[in-house]
Amino acid sequence: MQNLTINAERLWDSLMETARIGGTAKGGICRLTLTDLDRQVRDWFRSACEAAGCEVTVDELGNMFARRPGKDPSLPPIAMGSHLDTQPTGGKFDGVLGVLAGLEVIRSLNDAGYETNAPIEVVNWTNEEGSRFAPAMLASGVFAGAFDRPFADSREDREGKRFGEELERIGYRGSEKCGERKIGAFFELHIEQGPILEDERKEVGVVTGVQGMRWYEVTVTGFESHAGTTPMHLRRDALVGAARMVEAINGVALAHAPLAVSTVGLMEVRPNSRNILPGEVFFSIDLRHPDDVVLAEMEGEVKAVIARIAGEMKLDAAVADIWNSPAVHFDPACVGAVRAAAEDFGYSHRDIVSGAGHDAAYISRVAPTAMVFVPCEKGISHNESEKIEPDQAAAGANVLLRAVLAYDKAMADRAA
Ligand code: HGY
Ligand code: MN
Ligand code: MN
């Protein structure tokens, strides 16, 4: 096991090949979940895994599991994976690096004729991003029991299309019940999507957990009227109200600096006509903090300030709770395997808590889990200019390989 490494060139070629599926003029990827482009990359992934000798199973949420047999088929697999869906202006590496690095681990084990004790699996989790269908990490959440299938199927995008119907439309509603499958351990490689590793010149992040995150949807209702004839003191302008709320929501995060973050990323103004006072505004809220107690305080402050501004401006404001993903602490043995693997290769590394959500956050509820981070240029992600170098992808995949093999060996030694 000691000197096994991945094939860096083959990994990079696979990343660049799949980046063309939904590739954008600015060099990013727009491959929203359950679109025809998602189907295309899923088909690519299935045939690449089958070519590597894996058996591919799809569950009822479209999660894809590619299994490489081990010596003992009775053991639960050691799984790797992430997601193939992207943001509308996503980069080439968010999610896909973790899935293709898992495939590269399998390809490298095949090249070496290395037989693991437990089976090995690579997973593509459906709808990690949550951009088209909220909340994020929806299918890994169903797998872990955070949501049920009817809830997932009922989720609608902003055009009113439903998750379940779109999943069936692209032909990826599998027959296996979601969550039925056992996982012995889960390791996810991902870009950091933040600036810490690059700032500190660290090659690898040993991810010890994920911060807490909560999503809301707000509908502010005022009164549509003529832009030219409605005196300022008689207006009930939903957009002016929403604008004050957005500023106040930003202020709640600043008040809990430096670890709190708040974002309003999606806004719809109705009727969206230049000479009608906006009668209704819909917007999203994303709150995050490593400490769930502080996150709950932030939630209370945000809801209170929305109600106060609505009252002052004679507006109505409805706040819907969409998602609550508590802070997660990963399994010490899995984290240790990642740290030891980084040290084996002599990669500089540091422990880090993830600011972004990942499927590993939910899978940690049903299996020992940890993550591996590699830096991305200037920490930029959820942006078409997201960038890493081939040797950074290779470093992450090597650590993933070594951590999985070490965990497999430790499990076998314990059973002996
Ligand atoms: O929102 C997140 O943190 C993840 O990228 N879905
Ligand atoms: Mn991601
Ligand atoms: Mn993302």
Side-chain angles (χ1 to χ4, degrees):
M1 170 179 89
Q2 278 320 315
N3 51 9
L4 215 52
T5 58
I6 57 99
N7 180 323
E9 197 180 336
R10 181 171 54 195
L11 171 59
W12 193 256
D13 288 348
S14 296
L15 285 165
M16 294 305 109
E17 185 178 350
T18 51
R20 288 196 284 273
I21 302 173
T24 65
K26 289 184 182 174
I29 303 180
C30 175
R31 192 167 62 216
L32 293 182
T33 194
L34 307 187
T35 58
D36 291 341
L37 288 169
D38 186 15
R39 169 176 37 199
Q40 216 181 306
V41 77
R42 286 166 170 266
D43 292 347
W44 181 97
F45 176 62
R46 180 202 293 270
S47 53
C49 291
E50 287 170 345
C54 295
E55 180 198 3
V56 178
T57 308
V58 182
D59 75 11
E60 60 185 344
L61 268 285
N63 297 315
M64 301 174 76
F65 304 88
R67 171 171 288 206
R68 178 182 192 261
K71 286 188 194 105
D72 183 348
S74 69
L75 288 175
I78 299 175
M80 304 164 282
S82 192
H83 59 95
L84 293 173
D85 65 312
T86 75
Q87 289 284 336
T89 52
K92 289 195 179 75
F93 307 100
D94 175 358
V96 62
L97 174 63
V99 177
L100 298 191
L103 171 61
E104 177 51 36
V105 165
I106 284 188
R107 287 167 163 172
S108 300
L109 292 175
N110 290 345
D111 291 349
Y114 186 103
E115 193 182 21
T116 54
N117 196 53
I120 300 292
E121 282 192 354
V122 189
V123 188
N124 167 36
W125 298 107
T126 303
N127 191 41
E128 187 280 339
E129 290 293 358
S131 173
R132 182 180 180 197
F133 298 103
M137 298 128 67
L138 182 60
S140 53
V142 173
F143 188 90
F147 313 111
D148 62 21
R149 171 175 158 178
F151 171 77
D153 280 349
S154 70
R155 308 308 293 155
E156 289 188 2
D157 67 11
R158 298 308 297 159
E159 292 164 14
K161 289 187 182 155
R162 290 164 73 91
F163 177 96
E165 287 155 16
E166 285 293 281
L167 180 64
E168 282 155 21
R169 186 186 66 79
I170 68 165
Y172 272 90
R173 169 88 79 192
S175 51
E176 184 174 284
K177 183 147 178 48
C178 184
E180 193 174 70
R181 198 180 197 80
K182 292 288 163 266
I183 292 181
F186 181 66
F187 292 88
E188 180 170 1
L189 167 62
H190 206 286
I191 54 173
E192 178 201 341
Q193 300 181 290
I196 296 170
L197 293 178
E198 186 179 68
D199 282 355
E200 296 182 9
R201 301 194 191 298
K202 299 292 186 215
E203 293 165 298
V204 170
V206 179
V207 189
T208 57
V210 180
Q211 70 175 340
M213 43 197 85
R214 298 187 186 189
W215 283 6
Y216 313 85
E217 288 177 352
V218 184
T219 304
V220 181
T221 310
F223 188 76
E224 291 177 24
S225 59
H226 197 294
T229 58
T230 311
M232 295 307 282
H233 71 285
L234 294 181
R235 294 178 171 215
R236 289 173 53 221
D237 186 324
L239 184 53
V240 172
R244 289 182 187 164
M245 291 170 190
V246 170
E247 177 64 30
I249 291 161
N250 191 61
V252 166
L254 295 175
H256 291 275
L259 297 178
V261 287
S262 68
T263 310
V264 173
L266 168 68
M267 182 173 276
E268 293 167 353
V269 180
R270 286 185 269 273
N272 218 26
S273 166
R274 62 192 74 226
N275 45 3
I276 299 179
L277 267 64
E280 184 181 279
V281 172
F282 170 90
F283 65 86
S284 64
I285 303 175
D286 178 321
L287 299 181
R288 305 193 191 194
H289 195 283
D291 180 340
D292 287 328
V293 172
V294 176
L295 195 50
E297 284 169 19
M298 290 168 66
E299 174 177 307
E301 291 162 21
V302 161
K303 289 183 172 176
V305 75
I306 287 172
R308 177 175 59 75
I309 292 170
E312 287 166 0
M313 299 183 67
K314 297 189 183 59
L315 301 169
D316 291 318
V319 182
D321 294 351
I322 298 299
W323 186 37
N324 178 347
S325 177
V328 163
H329 304 284
F330 287 140
D331 173 82
C334 290
V335 171
V338 170
R339 192 178 296 113
E343 282 160 4
D344 273 1
F345 281 101
Y347 292 133
S348 57
H349 60 85
R350 61 155 280 172
D351 287 7
I352 188 169
V353 172
S354 177
H358 301 288
D359 295 304
Y362 276 134
I363 303 308
S364 67
R365 296 188 183 189
V366 293
T369 296
M371 291 186 72
V372 185
F373 272 178
V374 289
C376 51
E377 191 174 276
K378 298 194 186 76
I380 295 171
S381 183
H382 285 195
N383 182 306
E384 292 165 281
S385 65
E386 182 181 277
K387 191 168 183 282
I388 67 170
E389 297 302 328
D391 59 346
Q392 291 172 314
N398 275 325
V399 170
L400 184 68
L401 166 69
R402 190 65 56 85
V404 164
L405 295 187
Y407 195 90
D408 178 53
K409 186 173 177 318
M411 274 196 344
D413 294 349
R414 272 199 306 273

